[in-house]
Amino acid sequence: MLGGDVLAVRLGGIYALQRLAEEHPEQYHIQVMRLLCAFVRLPTKDQSLESGQAAIKPGTLLGIRQDVDAIMQEIGSRSKLRIALEREMDFRLDLRGVDLRGAQLLDADLSHALFHHSHLSNVNFANTDLTDSFLSHADLSQSEFYDVKFTRTRLWSANLSGAMLQDADLPRVNFRNANLKRTNLSGANLSGAIFQDASAVNASFECSNLSGARFLRTDLSGARFWDADLTRANFADANLSGAQFSVGGLQAAMRLTQVQLDRARADPDNPPKLNGVLDAETGEQLIWRGQSLDRSS
């Protein structure tokens, strides 16, 4: 039925498998999840989609295919009992390389899922559980993450440009080599997060908790750190060209020290903005005297 040419037939197969997994979880849940994940990775061809007759096409902002959406709703609403069976069997949802652009993945449990190299731009993940999931190398640009659980989530080399992560809880999350250009991380808990070799150009870290965060070799040019907690943040070799740590002294970064700044780099013609920002240890006005972007200078 999943391989049928008619949408109604495929949906019938999906709902039949859903009932089977619900009624006999110990016997069939894992098998059904493997089958449904395989369908999402490589959906059955649909002639109506290819001929342009369908109202919704995959990969558009209008949403995703109805059969794929039905499967994602089933996967996201798995019962606690069925999820416990997955943990017992050391099973992970295999959604590597899927195309879910424009999907509405609301209130879903996608914990422990594999999303490597997936196309997830413009997805709404509101209230979704992404605990211990792998999103490395995934395209998450322009996606929304309100009230999402990110404990132990892997986001290295992910594209999060323009994403909404406002007020997100992201302690110790690994953003190494990630694209965070224009990403909204205002009010987020990023304590102990790793941004090594990432690009966070014009990103917003306003009022964020960045205590112990590591920005080694991170491009933070134009980033905003107004009212951010930078206790023990590591800016070694980070590019702070035009980064804003205050606005006229009214919203100074918290717990920033001269020692932290001296380990960073910047364009000599566009140093970070430090109006009214005081050294957290000495109480003196911070002065930009870091190194040039040109290492030979």
Side-chain angles (χ1 to χ4, degrees), residues 14 45 62 73 83 90 92 107 113 123 154 172 182 194 214 219 223 233 250 267 274 284 296:
I14 293 167
K45 290 186 177 180
L62 295 175
Q73 296 304 317
I83 293 174
D90 196 25
R92 288 182 179 268
D107 305 301
V123 172
R154 286 75 160 180
R172 297 179 299 281
R182 301 181 305 280
I194 299 172
R214 286 175 278 177
D219 189 350
L250 298 178
D267 180 348
L274 298 161
E284 299 179 358
S296 63

Side-chain angles (χ1 to χ4, degrees), residues 97-221:
V98 298
D99 187 348
L100 296 174
R101 288 173 286 179
Q104 298 289 314
L105 302 180
L106 312 177
D107 305 301
D109 190 327
L110 298 173
S111 57
H112 299 262
L114 304 176
F115 280 107
H116 305 73
H117 299 279
S118 293
H119 304 283
L120 301 166
S121 58
N122 292 284
V123 172
N124 188 345
F125 287 96
N127 300 306
T128 292
D129 187 351
L130 292 171
T131 299
D132 196 30
S133 59
F134 285 79
L135 289 155
S136 55
H137 299 279
D139 182 2
L140 298 155
S141 56
Q142 306 298 323
S143 289
E144 300 180 4
F145 295 90
Y146 295 107
D147 294 319
V148 171
K149 294 180 181 178
F150 283 105
T151 307
R152 299 188 305 280
T153 304
R154 286 75 160 180
L155 286 162
W156 56 75
S157 299
N159 179 7
L160 287 154
S161 60
M164 292 294 296
L165 288 156
Q166 190 170 2
D167 299 319
D169 192 20
L170 295 154
R172 297 179 299 281
V173 169
N174 191 340
F175 292 98
R176 185 168 183 168
N177 293 307
N179 180 355
L180 295 161
K181 294 179 180 177
R182 301 181 305 280
T183 302
N184 187 342
L185 290 152
S186 300
N189 176 15
L190 294 157
S191 57
I194 299 172
F195 295 90
Q196 185 171 330
D197 297 305
S199 175
V201 176
N202 295 320
S204 174
F205 294 98
E206 301 172 35
C207 303
S208 295
N209 177 6
L210 292 162
S211 58
R214 286 175 278 177
F215 293 99
L216 281 69
R217 297 184 299 276
T218 301
D219 189 350
L220 294 163
S221 51

Side-chain angles (χ1 to χ4, degrees), residues 24-98:
H24 307 282
E26 293 186 358
Q27 292 92 337
Y28 297 112
H29 171 67
I30 300 298
Q31 296 179 48
V32 169
M33 287 300 104
R34 286 197 178 104
L35 184 57
L36 295 183
C37 286
F39 185 94
V40 178
R41 293 197 306 271
L42 190 62
T44 300
K45 290 186 177 180
D46 190 308
Q47 296 301 324
S48 64
L49 289 173
E50 295 178 2
S51 63
Q53 297 174 3
I56 296 179
K57 298 181 180 181
T60 72
L61 298 184
L62 295 175
I64 58 177
R65 282 176 47 166
Q66 191 174 346
D67 48 7
V68 173
D69 181 64
I71 289 178
M72 291 307 301
Q73 296 304 317
E74 156 60 10
I75 290 175
S77 60
R78 305 181 324 285
S79 66
K80 292 182 179 179
L81 171 62
R82 295 161 67 189
I83 293 174
L85 287 172
E86 295 174 7
R87 303 295 176 269
E88 183 180 335
M89 300 295 293
D90 196 25
F91 170 79
R92 288 182 179 268
L93 300 169
D94 189 353
L95 296 164
R96 291 174 291 180
V98 298

